[in-house]
Amino acid sequence: MGDYAVPAYFLLSHIVKNNVIKPKPITAKTIEIGNKYSPEFVCTPFKYTLGTLIEGIENGATILIQAGGGCRYGYYAELQEQIIKDLGYHVQFYNLVVAGTTNLKRIYKIMKEIDPKFSILKAIYYGTLTKQMIKYMDQMDHYIRANIGFETEKGSFETLKQQMLKEFSQVKTHIKLKKLYHKYQKKMRAIKIEKPKDTMKIGIIGELYTIMEPYSNYELEKNLASMNLEIKRYTDVYYLLFQKHKKVKKYLKNSAQYITYQMGADAADNIGRAKELCEEGYDGIIHIKSSFCTPEIGAMPVLSKICADYQVPIIFFSFDSATSEVGIKTRLEAFYDMLEMRKKK
């Protein structure tokens, strides 16, 4: 899922003695495998993750770990495990999240099964280090999104980011990680940009997996950056793991006239975010989701109502393995042209 393979690999490779296999980037082959063995109308991330798991097995993995929750994603593990067994693969399959909850005792027991020499103290140390790494990555990404569309030398931010991730993956201490963060923060801010004062600003909201895995949304953010737009995206791993339980209450309170209850996954968050983006004067909102994502389908009429009330344009994109990339780009360009005409008017 995007760059988060870096901290995931970093954590596991330090807390277990097993050989941890790096997941391959998602490709057309991954999707082909996932499509072939998945139920037709299951939400798209199921197919992407199933394809990734099978590729992991073919790459030598004998132990698979699944973690998810919040919506139907919380039930992926059972079905994916059964499909993998039916295909004749003999692997150990562990699910860290059951019924949307994480039990630390259960996780400890699983880790001891995977590695009998598993150390809780070592896990705590590298767990906190990984948490901080994710926080720094996400903070840097927020800055990049707001400015990458205006870099004078194309590719500067992406090149520097890859260097940063490589150095992050080699740290051993919190002090070293913090120093690296400040080093790259300074380098990022030194990248020359030409950003007009009246630049158009776009907010991206939607289903968490499709937002965070660039392959699943056809590199939407890169396409927006090429149009010289400032981008804001709320959803990241640090938010989901360490902030969501607090912030979702604030979103529900601030958008009480539109929503009363949690709707599952990120649907309630996105309603609150849409209202916030409208109030902050964003020129447009893009809502993206995977096909058959029930919580986001439920949120869409509410999002339309909010944007109509604030007179802020919103466009909806739904992605699956059969989505036309050309069609996405055509709609995106039309949305941009409309926003530009509104801005001039």
Side-chain angles (χ1 to χ4, degrees):
M1 190 167 65
D3 296 321
Y4 296 111
V6 174
Y9 178 82
F10 174 84
L11 176 62
L12 286 170
S13 62
H14 281 96
I15 65 173
V16 295
K17 298 293 183 184
N18 310 61
N19 176 31
V20 182
I21 297 173
K22 287 184 179 179
K24 292 180 179 179
I26 292 176
T27 63
K29 183 187 174 186
T30 315
I31 311 309
E32 184 183 341
I33 294 170
N35 268 335
K36 185 176 181 180
Y37 300 115
S38 298
E40 184 179 355
F41 295 110
V42 74
C43 38
T44 312
F46 182 97
K47 300 173 183 179
Y48 281 62
T49 51
L50 180 64
T52 300
L53 290 171
I54 292 173
E55 282 187 328
I57 296 169
E58 291 174 349
N59 201 26
T62 56
I63 296 171
L64 302 178
I65 297 176
Q66 172 66 283
C71 57
R72 284 188 288 181
Y73 188 34
Y75 302 96
Y76 280 14
E78 290 81 1
L79 186 53
Q80 287 178 337
E81 182 180 10
Q82 190 59 54
I83 291 170
I84 286 168
K85 284 181 178 178
D86 290 346
L87 290 173
Y89 293 115
H90 300 288
V91 295
Q92 292 171 276
F93 200 108
Y94 294 101
N95 181 19
L96 301 183
V97 180
V98 178
T101 60
T102 304
N103 185 296
L104 292 178
K105 287 184 179 179
R106 185 171 174 275
I107 291 176
Y108 175 73
K109 185 179 178 183
I110 288 172
M111 299 312 293
K112 288 294 280 186
E113 285 182 28
I114 292 172
D115 177 12
K117 294 184 179 180
F118 174 77
S119 165
I120 189 69
L121 292 176
K122 200 173 183 181
I124 291 170
Y125 177 80
Y126 281 102
T128 55
L129 191 57
T130 305
K131 176 184 175 181
Q132 197 62 30
M133 184 186 296
I134 291 169
K135 184 178 182 180
Y136 288 154
M137 286 171 57
D138 289 340
Q139 286 177 344
M140 206 69 85
D141 276 339
H142 288 308
Y143 178 79
I144 291 172
R145 283 188 205 102
N147 295 287
I148 193 170
F150 310 97
E151 58 187 3
T152 55
E153 188 178 333
K154 297 301 177 186
S156 300
F157 279 110
E158 186 60 31
T159 300
L160 197 57
K161 179 182 174 182
Q162 293 308 317
Q163 291 173 8
M164 180 191 77
L165 292 175
K166 186 177 180 180
E167 288 205 54
F168 273 14
S169 67
Q170 296 168 353
V171 299
K172 298 289 184 183
T173 67
H174 287 80
I175 294 172
K176 177 64 176 175
L177 180 63
K178 189 174 183 179
K179 284 182 178 179
L180 283 174
Y181 170 67
H182 288 301
K183 169 187 165 183
Y184 280 99
Q185 190 180 46
K186 189 176 180 180
K187 284 189 172 187
M188 289 285 183
R189 296 185 187 282
I191 291 175
K192 190 177 179 183
I193 60 172
E194 292 179 356
K195 191 174 183 179
K197 289 184 179 179
D198 62 343
T199 184
M200 286 199 294
K201 298 188 295 182
I202 296 288
I204 302 177
I205 57 175
E207 183 265 318
L208 65 94
Y209 184 91
T210 310
I211 275 182
M212 292 191 290
E213 170 47 53
Y215 194 93
S216 70
N217 60 47
Y218 297 109
E219 302 283 355
L220 183 78
E221 290 183 16
K222 283 187 179 179
N223 285 322
L224 291 172
S226 69
M227 298 174 181
N228 302 116
L229 294 166
E230 180 178 321
I231 306 163
K232 182 171 184 176
R233 191 191 90 193
Y234 293 86
T235 305
D236 53 44
V237 166
Y238 192 82
Y239 170 81
L240 292 169
L241 294 182
F242 309 112
Q243 296 177 318
K244 179 180 171 68
H245 63 289
K246 292 180 181 177
K247 288 196 174 183
V248 71
K249 294 177 182 176
K250 184 195 81 171
Y251 288 135
L252 284 169
K253 184 179 179 181
N254 291 349
S255 53
Q257 69 268 47
Y258 297 105
I259 183 173
T260 306
Y261 306 105
Q262 269 276 29
M263 298 172 66
D266 275 355
D269 308 54
N270 288 323
I271 288 167
R273 290 163 175 171
K275 184 171 180 287
E276 188 172 281
L277 289 166
C278 291
E279 290 171 343
E280 290 179 1
Y282 273 70
D283 296 285
I285 297 173
I286 296 176
H287 176 269
I288 64 178
K289 68 173 184 64
S290 64
S291 296
F292 313 115
C293 177
T294 309
E296 295 303 330
I297 291 170
M300 286 167 68
V302 189
L303 295 170
S304 296
K305 175 76 170 77
I306 293 170
C307 290
D309 288 348
Y310 284 90
Q311 295 188 319
V312 174
I314 184 169
I315 187 169
F316 298 96
F317 287 105
S318 189
F319 294 89
D320 62 26
S321 55
T323 301
S324 165
E325 187 172 359
V326 175
I328 294 294
K329 285 186 176 180
T330 303
R331 291 184 63 208
L332 204 57
E333 288 166 5
F335 186 63
Y336 170 80
D337 290 341
M338 182 267 292
L339 293 179
E340 193 174 40
M341 284 189 284
R342 276 176 54 104
K343 189 89 170 175
K344 288 176 180 177
K345 188 177 178 180

